[in-house]
């Protein structure tokens, strides 16, 4: 009989309101099978934790604390934006990972992240095979941007969608009350894909209901068209509520607002679209405006998480661990939609290679012809994802989010000089 | 026996997540006394609705819709920023108000707003008396800024405080997960008073817990001190979470960020503090940052309203109507705190004149000596105000907020040429 081996889990990329629900699923599934899994080690700050042999020994965390991860936002073990180079470019990194895994008898690798992270998991799977190191590499999808292919939805998206739809609805009620405020702009995340901006469209059910305009990264931003549309909506409805994706670009491909910073994946850090649009509104229309920039608040808003999203995040975490434990390699669990209404879904499987580095944008049939709103087909897709309110427990007026002890496992190897 | 007379109710100034709960209290109290009150008319857009004889006849709204106001953000009848001039400067406006009230047999005037609005109600009370028009003028306090004197708290504040505390807590969990993000800044409302910024301080219980810095309007902003403090917190804690009031000013009294717009009370419209501070952090420290601007989202966030706040807003609305119906004139109901822990409060009364145009700032004993955080005394004051979660009902993933019919009462007077 095989002795139990250890499981390495890590979180990568921008965190979400529910990535810890996936962590909870992974760890609970592993704890349920002591015959297969000894210790679950979590990488401190994602894959970098493996490279540096910064392994959090999760066996010191109580069952209650692990259960509380299900309702705790952020990444409990620390995330990171770090993309491994190709094997040809930096084989040493991959060898280091295998060395660390060998030293700690890691037989299961479960990596929770977006497209870049699925790429990392996929490359590692290949290198391990070529080095004859026995490990099951499985991904867990996660991204608020909802830009992974194949899976019906990425855990994290449903909750940010719900937050953005509710915030847009609430702000619209406020704006309608204030006759002097003509334009309200809320800036939401979505670097290349307009899924989050689209979710703002759920706040209204017909064209006269806010939001009146949605600016998608998939539609080239044209200042004149934007100004004309704002003027038109203010004339028709008394005010204009705009949901703007941080990632909107002009026809020439330049971002409307770049912060000037880059992340370690080399992506431009965005931000400042709302102030920019507000300046345009003031300068060209003279309307009184307000704007909000939701930024981290939107993806951390566990207090109003979508119950569907929490359940899916947890289910995919569990499924990933179970897949790894049963020897599945180079795959990730995904959400398969079997019915729109009532919404029904099940967990399927896909190849990491098929998901890595492929960005799913809003399809043209989800955007109205004028480019400023979502279609009925888009509503059919989005609506199920924001169903249910999975409220966290509260003490003293604040959510009871958990901070783990994060005890480090003793190192066994020399420090990494990468 | 006196015949029942009509009640005029209006909403003024920036709206809140719970001003409609006060409206609900006013209207339900009036409906309970048909012997005293005939019709409740609501001013469309505050006092301007009275000047223009734009009176919403609330008797067309069902009891269910009025009840739903308790969980609906924004101002259901429209608000306005409009300050009546002194009687000496513009007696015609006051005469017009009395003309409109006389035409519609208004015997009760209930005005829901902040300091400026209590001033309006107070002036009207005096003019009515001097014109021998029989009317009971009562205020209902409301302001997210919590800057009214006498009352323990202003309805609207507890909910924005809860929202800001939770949002800061959640964003802090996100920032802690992202080792590359060193500084996170959330900009909150509070033109002259730092109550909302102070509420962000509830997110952490000891100095090492975020937020690490709070910038209050009551403390002169000094860029060098800010930069030093950010560097220090990043060195000590790995990151620095900042809650910044929109109203922070330099020692010379200039606002750090003015949008260049003014409202109709002549106040500078603020906004842009967070982008400004982020620029300082980038330029002088080179740290990777994120920032959020909550703007209307914070004061419209009925989805996470404080149960205490909702209850108080409703109670003060009811009390105001009851005071007016019993002939009280020139006063407003206020919250009297009788115990910190457990929090106990009751409804008292104050003179409109004592509340009008007086701004209550954070007292020095609520701010730590370094000017960057809140004291234990401040926590004792704030903590009770964010207790309880008064969740709205949901349908299809979104809160069931109500939009009223707002049928206009037929006009009886010539149009106003004011």
């Amino acid at each position: 009989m095989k002795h139990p081996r250890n499981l390495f889990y890590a979180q990568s990329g921008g965190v979400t309101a529910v990535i810890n629900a996936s962590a909870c699923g992974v760890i609970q599934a592993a704890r349920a099978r002591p015959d297969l899994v000894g210790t679950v080690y979590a990488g401190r700050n994602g894959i970098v934790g493996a490279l540096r042999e910064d392994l959090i020994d999760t066996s010191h965390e109580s069952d209650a604390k692990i259960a509380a991860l299900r309702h705790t936002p952020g990444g409990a073990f620390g995330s990171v934006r770090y993309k491994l180079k190709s094997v040809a470019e930096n084989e040493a990194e991959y060898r280091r990972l295998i060395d660390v895994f060998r030293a700690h008898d890691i037989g299961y690798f479960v990596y929770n992240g977006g497209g870049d992270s699925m790429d990392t998991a996929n490359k590692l799977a290949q290198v391990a095979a070529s080095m004859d190191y026995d490990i099951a590499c499985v991904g867990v999808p996660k991204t608020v941007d909802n830009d992974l292919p194949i899976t019906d939805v990425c855990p994290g998206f449903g909750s940010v969608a719900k937050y953005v739809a509710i915030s847009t609805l609430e702000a619209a009620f406020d704006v309608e009350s204030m006759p002097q405020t003509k334009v309200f702009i809320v800036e939401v995340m979505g670097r290349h894909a307009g899924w989050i901006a689209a979710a703002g469209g759920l706040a209204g059910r017909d064209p006269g209901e806010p939001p009146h305009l949605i600016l998608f990264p998939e539609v080239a931003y044209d200042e004149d068209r934007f100004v004309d549309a704002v003027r038109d909506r203010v004339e028709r409805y008394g005010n204009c509520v705009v949901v703007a994706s941080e990632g909107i670009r002009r026809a020439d491909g330049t971002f409307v607002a770049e912060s000037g910073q880059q992340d370690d994946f080399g992506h431009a850090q965005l931000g400042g679209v709302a102030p920019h649009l507000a300046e345009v509104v003031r300068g060209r229309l003279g309307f009184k405006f307000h704007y909000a920039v939701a930024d981290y608040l939107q993806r951390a808003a566990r207090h109003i998480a979508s119950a569907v999203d929490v359940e899916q995040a947890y289910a995919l975490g569990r499924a990933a661990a179970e897949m790894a434990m049963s020897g599945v390699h180079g795959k990730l669990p995904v959400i398969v939609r079997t019915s729109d209404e009532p919404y029904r879904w099940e967990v399927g499987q896909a190849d990491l290679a098929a998901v890595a580095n492929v960005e799913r944008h809003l399809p043209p049939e989800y955007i109205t012809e004028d480019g400023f709103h979502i279609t009925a087909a888009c509503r059919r897709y989005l609506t199920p994802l924001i169903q249910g309110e999975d409220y966290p427990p509260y003490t003293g007026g604040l959510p009871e989010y958990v901070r783990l002890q994060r005890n480090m496992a003793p190192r066994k190897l020399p420090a990494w000089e990468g």
Side-chain angles (χ1 to χ4, degrees), chain A residues 57-286:
Chain A
D57 183 344
T58 68
S59 60
H60 296 280
E61 314 291 347
S62 67
D63 285 345
K65 279 205 165 185
I66 295 302
L69 287 179
R70 190 175 159 124
H71 62 250
T72 297
F77 306 107
S79 188
V80 75
R81 292 191 184 277
Y82 185 87
K83 186 172 180 172
L84 269 71
K85 296 205 180 69
S86 70
V87 180
E89 281 175 284
N90 197 346
E91 201 187 323
E93 276 189 341
Y94 294 90
R95 290 191 173 277
R96 167 71 180 185
L97 288 176
I98 302 297
D99 287 346
V100 169
F101 291 163
R102 199 185 307 265
H104 294 274
D105 193 24
I106 304 293
Y108 315 99
F109 174 80
V110 179
Y111 203 39
N112 202 168
D116 288 331
S117 308
M118 295 305 107
D119 181 60
T120 296
N122 189 44
K123 284 176 183 157
L124 183 71
Q126 293 163 359
V127 172
S130 74
M131 289 174 69
D132 264 342
Y133 181 73
D134 181 23
I135 189 168
C137 292
V138 175
V140 187
K142 171 253 34 163
T143 145
V144 292
D145 287 346
N146 200 36
D147 57 359
L148 298 188
I150 303 178
T151 188
D152 182 53
V153 59
C154 299
F157 172 69
S159 293
V160 74
K162 188 177 183 87
Y163 173 90
V164 167
I166 292 176
S167 297
T168 302
L169 176 69
E170 292 179 332
F173 268 76
D174 195 306
V175 174
E176 283 170 31
S177 315
M178 307 300 294
Q180 286 127 340
T181 301
K182 298 300 179 201
V183 178
F184 180 77
I185 302 161
V186 56
E187 173 179 332
V188 301
M189 287 180 160
R191 185 183 303 275
H192 298 302
W195 296 100
I196 298 176
L202 296 176
R205 281 146 303 179
D206 67 62
E209 281 184 2
H212 306 98
L213 300 174
I214 305 174
L215 304 184
F216 304 99
E218 288 86 353
V219 178
Y221 170 75
D222 177 298
E223 187 176 297
D224 292 337
R225 283 197 72 228
F226 171 67
V227 167
D228 288 346
V230 170
R231 186 192 296 112
D232 171 74
R233 302 313 189 271
V234 170
E235 280 169 8
R236 273 200 278 172
Y237 307 118
N239 63 65
C240 180
V241 174
V242 182
V243 179
S245 165
E246 62 175 353
I248 55 170
R249 302 196 227 198
R250 302 180 189 87
D252 64 7
T254 56
F255 286 112
V256 171
E258 290 194 11
S259 73
Q261 299 187 114
Q262 287 199 346
D263 69 24
D264 287 10
F265 288 150
H267 303 144
Q269 189 182 335
L270 302 179
V273 161
H276 176 88
L277 296 174
E279 225 11 77
V280 169
V281 165
R282 187 212 337 243
R284 296 194 47 182
L285 294 166

